[in-house]
Amino acid sequence: MITEMGRDLQNIDDDILFAKRVIKEKLCKDADVIKYLHNDELERVGADPDDYYGVNILPFIRIPGTLDKVKNFICFSVDDIEDLKYNDVMKTQYIQFEVFCHADDIDTGLGISRHDLLGYFIRDIFNWTNIIGLQFKLVYNQESVTDTNFSCRLLKFEAIKPNSLSGTRRRPTPRKNDEVNEHGLIVRD
């Protein structure tokens, strides 16, 4: 799909969007994650694992508000926090997962609290893997609660990655309203 400004949305070259797409695929394809998110409504209708995305698996950090039905959530974010000091070529990237499990659905029947079990699955999928580029390592794993009946587990992963260098190998593609100067560089107001 090409936008009005000439941006090709099918070929977005962005580390964060790429990482979020991979995380979504990994979480939705993991049968244990889907099972222990325990969404009775989706289970009852035989929903596909991708149907949990946007319902129980969210690509942003959100603290659940008032709910009329018990739900459990895995929220995640991807952030490029900083370039490495004295090195513009590399950057630090963080992936943060926040697991929210409602107090009425915390028991899994396994002797493990639901938020801890889902946190374990996330660690097992992402820790020391290179599915998004260089290896991610777990740097933070903490339990907490909200004031709205949710038990939580916060996990943060960190990786040192190349700093979006793809644009330096080729010139950016001019968009619809861009002007190109005599040197072949895009001039934008």
Side-chain angles (χ1 to χ4, degrees):
M1 173 183 180
I2 306 295
T3 67
E4 289 182 34
M5 291 298 293
R7 293 181 181 101
D8 183 357
L9 297 182
Q10 299 302 317
N11 295 305
I12 296 175
D13 183 18
D14 183 87
D15 290 349
I16 291 174
L17 294 176
F18 172 76
K20 284 188 171 192
R21 184 173 58 243
V22 171
I23 292 167
K24 171 201 173 218
E25 290 170 5
K26 288 292 187 183
L27 291 174
C28 288
K29 287 183 180 178
D30 191 292
D32 291 333
V33 168
I34 298 303
K35 177 180 179 178
Y36 286 99
L37 277 170
H38 195 228
N39 185 325
D40 287 335
E41 283 183 24
L42 292 176
E43 290 171 11
R44 195 172 14 262
V45 298
D48 290 327
D50 283 339
D51 294 335
Y52 285 73
Y53 188 73
V55 177
N56 295 90
I57 299 172
L58 304 171
F60 48 85
I61 303 298
R62 170 187 170 270
I63 297 175
T66 304
L67 299 173
D68 53 347
K69 298 177 183 135
V70 172
K71 283 193 180 174
N72 304 302
F73 301 92
I74 295 175
C75 303
F76 63 89
S77 66
V78 179
D79 300 299
D80 291 341
I81 301 298
E82 61 186 20
D83 295 338
L84 292 178
K85 195 171 191 175
Y86 309 114
N87 185 346
D88 293 335
V89 176
M90 302 299 284
K91 67 180 175 185
T92 304
Q93 189 172 72
Y94 291 95
I95 297 179
Q96 176 175 306
F97 293 91
E98 185 83 37
V99 178
F100 295 96
C101 294
H102 197 276
D104 293 341
D105 195 30
I106 202 73
D107 183 28
T108 60
L110 301 172
I112 303 170
S113 297
R114 190 170 308 278
H115 65 297
D116 292 333
L117 185 60
L118 289 168
Y120 163 72
F121 295 150
I122 291 167
R123 271 194 332 274
D124 189 55
I125 295 167
F126 296 99
N127 200 28
W128 298 114
T129 65
N130 61 355
I131 58 175
I132 305 173
L134 300 179
Q135 277 190 343
F136 275 88
K137 68 176 183 175
L138 183 67
V139 295
Y140 190 87
N141 184 353
Q142 184 177 16
E143 182 175 28
S144 63
V145 294
T146 67
D147 58 355
T148 57
N149 294 321
F150 284 90
S151 291
C152 309
R153 169 113 355 238
L154 175 62
L155 300 108
K156 293 181 184 180
F157 296 85
E158 175 185 273
I160 307 300
K161 299 180 69 172
N163 193 8
S164 301
L165 298 175
S166 60
T168 60
R169 290 186 215 137
R170 58 180 162 75
R171 292 193 177 177
T173 305
R175 297 189 301 238
K176 188 175 182 179
N177 295 332
D178 289 341
E179 293 181 34
V180 180
N181 68 16
E182 65 274 7
H183 304 289
L185 300 174
I186 297 173
V187 179
R188 295 189 177 133
D189 293 333

